[in-house]
Amino acid sequence: DSGVTQTPKHLITATGQRVTLRCSPRSGDLSVYWYQQSLDQGLQFLIQYYNGEERAKGNILERFSAQQFPDLHSELNLSSLELGDSALYFCASSAPGLAGGQSEQFFGPGTRLTVL
Amino acid sequence: ELKVEQNPLFLSMQEGKNYTIYCNYSTTSDRLYWYRQDPGKSLESLFVLLSNGAVKQEGRLMASLDTKARLSTLHITAAVHDLSATYFCAVENTGNQFYFGTGTSLTVIP
């Protein structure tokens, strides 16, 4: 158990709908990362937050948004869902690394999203 | 965009043998990560390499980073069945974005 929790574990929804995925980082971790894993695209970095602020943005679609709350949990919002959004969504957390560098990431169990 | 190439994509090896997985990337970076993923599971961090010449070892796995060659290797020594998994490398660019390789599916045969 990495200490990172994600809910829900599975989500089945229809095209055009909107869903929210939730992530709680390990206690004490300030950074949260979101990733998408699919057979077509492989593993893709979506976005990173550090202590409530957006730190880096990757291949995140405009239909997707995220935020990190004061209690450090994060939510990933996916809207106007398409069939191609079906994937595993992972979040990860990490503590500040030495000298500001990145440190080991701990991954949650993931949310499997199926868009029908 | 930073490109990360991993090879081989599939690796079948006998127990007790040694092998190396390669991770090449296209843009200068000194931050490279290795992960393991078991079927149907999440990712597990194996190594964080943060400088040229970095070498880290854990059990039968050893990872190294050559930033000048833009190459990282994951060496497996005396493979055992428990090492069967998919291994990913990921490179972090100066903008703190992460780019993953396609993964190497390793099967260790008794």
Side-chain angles (χ1 to χ4, degrees):
Chain A
D1 184 357
S2 67
V4 179
T5 60
Q6 286 186 253
T7 56
K9 287 192 174 151
H10 302 276
L11 198 47
I12 302 174
T13 188
T15 54
Q17 294 300 303
R18 172 189 169 95
V19 296
T20 297
L21 312 184
R22 182 187 168 106
C23 169
S24 293
R26 291 186 323 153
S27 177
D29 285 357
L30 300 180
S31 289
V32 170
Y33 311 77
W34 285 99
Y35 298 93
Q36 180 195 60
Q37 185 176 32
S38 66
L39 286 175
D40 289 347
Q41 310 266 8
L43 267 164
Q44 292 208 80
F45 165 69
L46 297 179
I47 197 163
Q48 180 195 357
Y49 282 85
Y50 178 80
N51 203 20
E53 300 289 327
E54 181 185 304
R55 183 172 184 181
K57 189 178 273 194
N59 292 327
I60 187 166
L61 300 172
E62 284 191 14
R63 301 182 284 109
F64 295 1
S65 65
Q67 54 183 325
Q68 186 179 27
F69 294 87
D71 67 353
L72 300 177
H73 91 272
S74 179
E75 293 181 356
L76 178 67
N77 301 295
L78 315 176
S79 63
S80 302
L81 285 167
E82 302 175 0
L83 295 177
D85 297 328
S86 295
L88 263 172
Y89 291 84
F90 292 108
C91 81
S93 72
S94 71
L98 294 173
Q102 298 292 352
S103 58
E104 182 179 6
Q105 293 183 28
F106 295 85
F107 282 75
T111 294
R112 182 173 291 281
L113 173 66
T114 302
V115 182
L116 302 175
Chain B
E1 180 179 300
L2 198 157
K3 301 287 185 195
V4 182
E5 285 187 7
Q6 240 179 282
N7 65 83
L9 296 184
F10 299 95
L11 177 56
S12 180
M13 56 191 297
Q14 285 189 313
E15 277 191 334
K17 298 292 188 183
N18 305 333
Y19 209 83
T20 300
I21 299 171
Y22 297 88
C23 177
N24 291 90
Y25 53 98
S26 61
T27 306
T28 301
S29 171
D30 57 3
R31 293 181 176 179
L32 191 133
Y33 306 79
W34 284 97
Y35 299 97
R36 168 185 172 140
Q37 186 176 36
D38 291 306
K41 303 288 186 184
S42 185
L43 282 89
E44 175 190 352
S45 177
L46 293 175
F47 301 107
V48 179
L49 303 170
L50 298 177
S51 62
N52 185 40
V55 177
K56 290 198 175 177
Q57 182 162 7
E58 180 75 34
R60 300 174 188 275
L61 300 178
M62 183 174 71
S64 65
L65 178 61
D66 182 342
T67 59
K68 291 186 171 63
R70 299 177 190 168
L71 170 69
S72 180
T73 60
L74 180 66
H75 187 72
I76 303 156
T77 302
V80 293
H81 180 68
D82 285 352
L83 290 179
S84 296
T86 299
Y87 293 85
F88 293 94
C89 65
V91 179
E92 181 187 359
N93 68 8
T94 52
N96 303 121
Q97 297 164 317
F98 292 80
Y99 297 86
F100 284 80
T102 49
T104 295
S105 177
L106 170 66
T107 303
V108 181
I109 304 166

